[in-house]
Amino acid sequence: SAQRVIVVIEKKTVLITGAATGIGAAIAKKFISNNYNVHICDSDESNLKTFLKNNQGATGSIVDISKYSNINTLFNDFNNKYNNLNVLVNNTGISGETSLTENMSVKNWKKTIDTNLNGMFYVSKHAIPILKKNNNSSIINISSTAGLFGVPLRSSYAASKWGVIGFTKTMAMELGPHGINVNAICPGCVDGQRIENVIKADAKESGYTYQQIKDVYLRQSSMRSFADKNDIAEMCQYLCSKSGSNISGQAIAIDGNTEGLFNWLK
């Protein structure tokens, strides 16, 4: 009688930063649903515990990636759980201070750059040698349409997100020969609490009403709507699939077509 051959396919593994809530959590849930090993990190212990409780099988680390001294903790924790890494999603980001550049505090400027750009470098630096062990891997960096346009009152955020684009395109050139595609996703306004907070801060700083500011944000998009965080998650899944493996070095906007940010300052 013919022998049965059982082929065991090792599950792929993804590491996602800043993934206990919001876009990061949506990305993590999408990878879980596609049978990946999922390890997330977040600086908020309460949010991390809640995510892990609600998503059995995922693992996580409480880490603030803006401090380089914390990165060994993340990767020691990761390496104790998994022996492979196929996808890195650099998602951690903060909105930064809302103010004119000359009024922005040096402390808040540094915090935004440290979190949104330096932290991405720290994690990528440690992850790349692990990703290189596979025949094909992916890095996805979450930038923003603020990485494509200027944004009044948000200079630290825009600067960090433009930096992400340059970092992405450079890594794509360095890592392509190793079978690693690297892309940036640039969400526009994504429905949720974060954009609500940004609109409130903009209204307070500019003197316009909440609704006036929200209308400006909506008019920026040809589709006149905010994106859904699951749209971002779906694109992440595509970019690390076989179909998306030849897409690299791109800054992909998911924003309903932003043609330019209105300069609504008085």
Side-chain angles (χ1 to χ4, degrees):
S1 61
Q3 285 186 320
R4 285 198 308 164
V5 178
I6 300 173
V7 178
V8 178
I9 301 175
E10 186 178 27
K11 286 176 71 171
K12 291 186 174 182
T13 304
V14 59
L15 170 61
I16 311 167
T17 67
T21 58
I23 293 173
I27 295 169
K29 289 174 185 176
K30 173 57 66 174
F31 277 101
I32 290 169
S33 72
N34 281 277
N35 200 36
Y36 273 71
N37 294 318
V38 174
H39 189 82
I40 71 168
C41 72
D42 205 280
S43 59
D44 189 305
E45 183 174 3
S46 174
N47 287 340
L48 183 75
K49 286 182 176 178
T50 300
F51 178 90
L52 296 178
K53 181 181 177 183
N54 294 334
N55 296 277
Q56 300 293 325
T59 56
S61 305
I62 303 160
V63 177
D64 176 0
I65 65 160
S66 70
K67 298 179 177 64
Y68 186 59
S69 57
N70 294 340
I71 304 301
N72 276 334
T73 301
L74 170 60
F75 280 90
N76 287 339
D77 201 11
F78 177 85
N79 289 327
N80 283 335
K81 295 179 173 70
Y82 305 105
N83 59 11
N84 70 314
L85 178 62
N86 303 90
V87 181
L88 169 65
V89 182
N90 284 308
N91 171 72
T92 296
I94 60 174
S95 300
E97 182 180 333
T98 302
S99 69
L100 293 168
T101 301
E102 69 264 32
N103 297 332
M104 188 171 294
S105 76
V106 171
K107 178 182 177 183
N108 284 341
W109 173 276
K110 285 176 64 64
K111 182 180 180 183
T112 304
I113 301 298
D114 282 342
T115 304
N116 295 2
L117 186 57
N118 292 344
M120 188 177 289
F121 160 66
Y122 301 152
V123 174
S124 300
K125 175 180 169 63
H126 280 249
I128 287 168
I130 314 173
L131 291 164
K132 280 183 175 179
K133 293 178 182 177
N134 300 302
N135 290 327
N136 47 60
S137 301
S138 299
I139 297 176
I140 300 165
N141 299 323
I142 305 300
S143 181
S144 167
T145 48
L148 305 171
F149 301 98
V151 189
L153 303 179
R154 307 287 303 288
S155 60
S156 64
Y157 184 75
S160 70
K161 293 301 186 177
W162 277 75
V164 169
I165 303 296
F167 186 50
T168 298
K169 287 182 174 291
T170 301
M171 280 203 297
M173 296 169 76
E174 293 177 350
L175 298 177
H178 300 276
I180 301 172
N181 68 325
V182 187
N183 291 286
I185 294 178
C186 301
C189 299
V190 177
D191 222 1
Q193 191 57 51
R194 183 169 172 177
I195 189 60
E196 294 296 315
N197 292 340
V198 167
I199 293 169
K200 288 174 185 175
D202 285 351
K204 182 179 178 181
E205 184 70 18
S206 68
Y208 286 97
T209 66
Y210 169 87
Q211 194 57 49
Q212 284 174 318
I213 297 296
K214 185 169 185 177
D215 288 345
V216 168
Y217 274 101
L218 286 169
R219 287 200 308 272
Q220 290 167 179
S221 164
S222 298
M223 302 302 293
R224 299 296 194 268
S225 63
F226 292 160
D228 186 285
K229 58 191 176 185
N230 292 309
D231 299 341
I232 317 302
E234 291 280 359
M235 181 58 73
C236 287
Q237 195 69 56
Y238 179 72
L239 289 172
C240 64
S241 70
K242 190 174 186 300
S243 298
S245 61
N246 208 38
I247 299 171
S248 196
Q250 303 305 303
I252 301 168
I254 301 179
D255 63 343
N257 185 41
T258 303
E259 286 295 353
L261 302 182
F262 291 96
N263 191 341
W264 39 259
L265 289 174
K266 289 180 178 177

